[in-house]
Amino acid sequence: MKHLIKYINTNVLYKVAHLNSATIITRIIAGILTSKAIAIFIGVEGMALIGNLRNFLSATQSISILGFYKGVVKTISKFKNDSVNLSKTLSTAYYLCFFSTILVAFLCYYNAQDINNFLFSTYYDFTYVIKIMSFALPFYALNMLSFSIMNGFSNYKMLLIINIIGQILGLLVTLLLIYQNHIDGALIAAVLTPSLMFLITLVGIINRRNLMTYIKIDHISFNILKSFGPYAAMALVSAIALPLISIGIRNYLIAEIGIKEAGYWEAMNRISSYYLMFITSIITLYIVPKFGKIHTKKEFKKEILAFYKSVMPKFGLGLILLYFLRSFIVPIIFSEAFKPTQDLFLWQLIGDFVKVLALVISYQFLAKKMFTHFIIIELFLVITLYFSSIYLIDIYGVEGAVIGHFLTYIMYYGIVLLIFGTSLFGSNPKTIENP
């Protein structure tokens, strides 16, 4: 535990954690204020519809940039002092993302009615929102490409500042649109605000105008594309499958139980996302860099146990506190109309606790480039989540969705423990071997 605290204080918190904490706090406050505005001006039904659009937008954005973000960051970090390979990296990422984004935008625009029916059913017509999204997608792609470039050059401070300013701008635009246009405004804000951040990002990359000279169509490299491949595959599986499964579960709730129940479930998911931001940021700042430097099973076991002993008890205590304060939290974040959301806390909180237990270990998939394992486990996760939720919804109603969440992550955790069992419970040879 002392080792963990010392490392965080000297190597992580000192450098970026203050700004990172400010970014997370800004995102949480923005999310809570947006949720409050939706609850007041739109209501429970609107929460469900917005949830479907947000999930679809998340999947579409990932497809538009081909899941290249982490691959670009890693490759630029590796070649930032090598002008030839840097040019190949930037050219490959830029042109492939450009063509894929334009293709996805065209598909969304010309299939807007079918997408509307899938997300909102034939009872609602928000086709124009899908068309607005198709025009906004290229700006989102440019923003994410710019982010990956700054991240690759280790410009963390600028990234965090841009994120904070972008969150504040997005919040103001969202609140204004919800106030003026209610559900229409909320849907328009959901598809526009991620792209508006590009206006802020431009300021961050203006002093790197010389990078444009590196982007040349004849510098597209198949070898660079191959290096992107594993990261892209992992990103696309995670970023597409889970949002689409969430839409499927929400649509099933709407069809079989009611749109209000789907709204309660979406409200619970929002609360979950707020506190998970904190714990995932700790994992990203501490666990991921450490795992990359670990070469023995003894070290791996030591780091996992240190995290479990130092962070998880505090996280668990926080979840217990949330559970007993749920009758106060729900009206504060939403409104009295969302009171039934309180019945969903128990299984969601337990499921999230188990999820974090598994998440810490599963980052070893990334650190050791166990891409195939990662993809197979992720596919198992989303398939199990969908079918268990549907089955349990038929028995327990909307509560079945959160029970399915809990059972899915219990099984996921069991599989992760099985894969890394020898590293955690067996003997400690000199090096870690991929299963």
Side-chain angles (χ1 to χ4, degrees), residues 102-349:
I102 296 301
L103 177 61
V104 172
F106 267 103
L107 289 173
C108 288
Y109 185 87
Y110 288 106
N111 294 279
Q113 186 64 59
D114 292 332
I115 295 171
N116 174 85
N117 296 343
F118 171 62
L119 296 178
F120 309 119
S121 82
T122 55
Y123 295 105
Y124 303 93
D125 186 8
F126 296 113
T127 305
Y128 76 97
V129 175
I130 307 301
K131 292 183 176 180
I132 291 173
M133 183 193 76
S134 67
F135 284 106
L137 268 179
F139 296 100
Y140 170 83
L142 282 171
N143 185 64
M144 292 308 295
L145 186 60
S146 301
F147 264 38
S148 65
I149 292 171
M150 284 189 284
N151 203 340
F153 280 102
S154 303
N155 198 350
Y156 303 124
K157 184 176 181 180
M158 179 61 71
L159 270 174
L160 294 171
I161 291 173
I162 289 172
N163 263 305
I164 292 171
I165 297 173
Q167 288 294 330
I168 295 173
L169 174 64
L171 172 64
L172 295 176
V173 171
T174 299
L175 293 179
L176 178 62
L177 288 173
I178 291 175
Y179 176 75
Q180 290 185 334
N181 301 292
H182 294 193
I183 181 65
D184 293 80
L187 294 174
I188 293 171
V191 299
L192 275 186
T193 50
S195 303
L196 286 177
M197 192 175 287
F198 179 63
L199 300 176
I200 310 299
T201 308
L202 276 176
V203 178
I205 63 173
I206 199 71
N207 62 339
R208 291 192 175 273
R209 285 172 292 182
N210 61 314
L211 288 177
M212 293 303 296
T213 61
Y214 286 89
I215 301 176
K216 300 175 182 179
I217 195 165
D218 59 339
H219 281 197
I220 294 176
S221 169
F222 181 71
N223 288 331
I224 294 294
L225 179 60
K226 281 177 63 179
S227 70
F228 291 167
Y231 297 101
M234 290 192 300
L236 289 174
V237 168
S238 298
I240 296 174
L242 193 56
L244 292 182
I245 290 299
S246 296
I247 293 173
I249 295 172
R250 198 178 291 107
N251 282 347
Y252 190 81
L253 282 169
I254 293 171
E256 299 298 323
I257 302 178
I259 192 169
K260 282 192 174 182
E261 282 71 18
Y264 302 143
W265 184 64
E266 172 62 18
M268 187 69 252
N269 285 333
R270 282 177 174 253
I271 294 172
S272 172
S273 69
Y274 299 150
Y275 58 72
L276 284 177
M277 285 184 197
F278 278 110
I279 196 73
T280 53
S281 68
I282 293 173
I283 294 173
T284 302
L285 287 171
Y286 174 71
I287 290 293
V288 176
K290 286 291 288 182
F291 277 8
K293 299 174 183 177
I294 286 175
H295 299 291
T296 69
K297 293 183 179 181
K298 184 177 181 180
E299 291 174 325
F300 175 61
K301 180 179 180 179
K302 181 180 179 181
E303 293 303 330
I304 293 295
L305 292 179
F307 190 88
Y308 278 4
K309 290 177 182 178
S310 59
V311 177
M312 292 309 297
K314 298 178 181 65
F315 180 57
L317 187 62
L319 294 182
I320 293 171
L321 192 62
L322 277 175
Y323 178 76
F324 286 109
L325 294 176
R326 65 192 187 283
S327 60
F328 299 99
I329 291 170
V330 171
I332 290 173
I333 297 179
F334 303 104
S335 66
E336 288 293 337
F338 286 80
K339 190 175 180 180
T341 303
Q342 297 173 28
D343 299 331
L344 308 180
F345 268 67
L346 178 61
W347 293 110
Q348 182 72 39
L349 297 179

Side-chain angles (χ1 to χ4, degrees), residues 36-54:
K36 189 70 175 180
I38 292 171
I40 293 173
F41 293 102
I42 302 171
V44 180
E45 295 88 347
M47 186 70 73
L49 297 178
I50 294 167
N52 264 6
L53 181 62
R54 288 177 66 204

Side-chain angles (χ1 to χ4, degrees), residues 67-83:
F68 278 2
Y69 185 87
K70 285 186 178 178
V72 173
V73 172
K74 293 278 186 181
T75 311
I76 288 178
S77 179
K78 181 180 178 181
F79 295 130
K80 58 186 175 184
N81 296 316
D82 181 342
S83 60

